[in-house]
Amino acid sequence: MATPFSLKPTLRGELVILRPIRAEDADVIGALICDDEEIAILTGAVHSRDEEFTGPSLDELRGIYGAWAHAEDRLVLGVIDRATGDLVGEVVLNDWDAGNRSCGFRTLLGAAGRGRGLGTEATRLIVEHGLRTMGLHRITLEVYDLNPRARHVYEKVGFVHEGTGRDALLLDGAWIDVHYMAILGS
């Protein structure tokens, strides 16, 4: 059965192109994750700044991204920096709830894609696609308190803070809150 996530569009902005993810993108995404310790910290993948992130192997990542390229329960788009043509991250609509026309959102942007508005534009493009083209009513996300840069981007795009999960992440012996945010369509 086809779902709204079956269609894998290419979305174009002034700064980025969002295109369907491919299995071979795992090589770049894997390098982004391994080369940028900030990603593991900001996503809660480690519990100490000294902890080395050990995620899936490259072969496992290729399998994951290959499956996501055709998945009907999520939309994963690679973020291409128009200035360089490089893949700098990904944006994802997932956790689809058909009955409530809602889903979750997450993003991963490597250091080369930060600080130039690429994340804001990529977020805006995929959220507008979800709400307008796919007919979603609600898109949600979670962001840790230690990531105010991401929260600022989400607020600029229109996400609203709906609540806080206290002490959701233990990092370097300190508890970090998580914030729940959502944006609504019509």
Side-chain angles (χ1 to χ4, degrees):
M1 171 192 225
T3 70
F5 293 96
S6 300
L7 184 65
K8 309 296 184 187
T10 297
L11 308 175
R12 299 178 188 284
E14 291 181 23
L15 303 173
V16 298
I17 297 171
L18 305 183
R19 60 125 171 101
I21 206 74
R22 303 183 296 239
E24 57 268 23
D25 291 332
D27 297 34
V28 174
I29 299 293
L32 289 177
I33 293 168
C34 291
D35 295 345
D36 187 349
E37 64 186 39
E38 189 173 329
I39 289 173
I41 293 166
L42 295 177
T43 60
V46 295
H47 296 283
S48 166
R49 294 179 194 278
D50 299 327
E51 182 181 340
E52 184 177 336
F53 174 70
T54 55
S57 71
L58 190 52
D59 283 340
E60 290 171 321
L61 275 178
R62 286 182 187 135
I64 291 167
Y65 279 88
W68 285 353
H70 305 286
E72 294 195 3
D73 66 340
R74 70 186 60 233
L75 175 61
V76 183
L77 300 177
V79 178
I80 307 298
D81 180 347
R82 286 187 82 133
T84 64
D86 293 336
L87 175 67
V88 295
E90 65 187 20
V91 288
V92 181
L93 295 177
N94 60 3
D95 297 329
W96 180 43
D97 180 341
N100 291 313
R101 294 179 23 226
S102 68
C103 73
F105 169 76
R106 72 169 181 77
T107 184
L108 179 147
L109 209 58
R114 294 188 204 127
R116 297 182 292 126
L118 278 63
T120 301
E121 185 175 79
T123 300
R124 184 173 288 117
L125 285 169
I126 196 166
V127 166
E128 286 176 356
H129 175 76
L131 296 175
R132 292 186 181 152
T133 306
M134 295 173 61
L136 295 170
H137 175 67
R138 177 179 168 85
I139 300 174
T140 63
L141 64 83
E142 296 179 7
V143 60
Y144 289 111
D145 197 43
L146 54 81
N147 197 352
R149 181 178 62 219
R151 183 169 173 177
H152 176 71
V153 166
Y154 303 144
E155 288 171 341
K156 277 184 9 182
V157 170
F159 281 87
V160 174
H161 182 259
E162 294 188 330
T164 299
R166 298 175 298 146
D167 293 354
L169 171 70
L170 182 61
L171 179 67
D172 293 328
W175 289 104
I176 310 294
D177 293 344
V178 66
H179 301 287
Y180 305 106
M181 302 180 77
I183 189 168
L184 301 178
S186 47

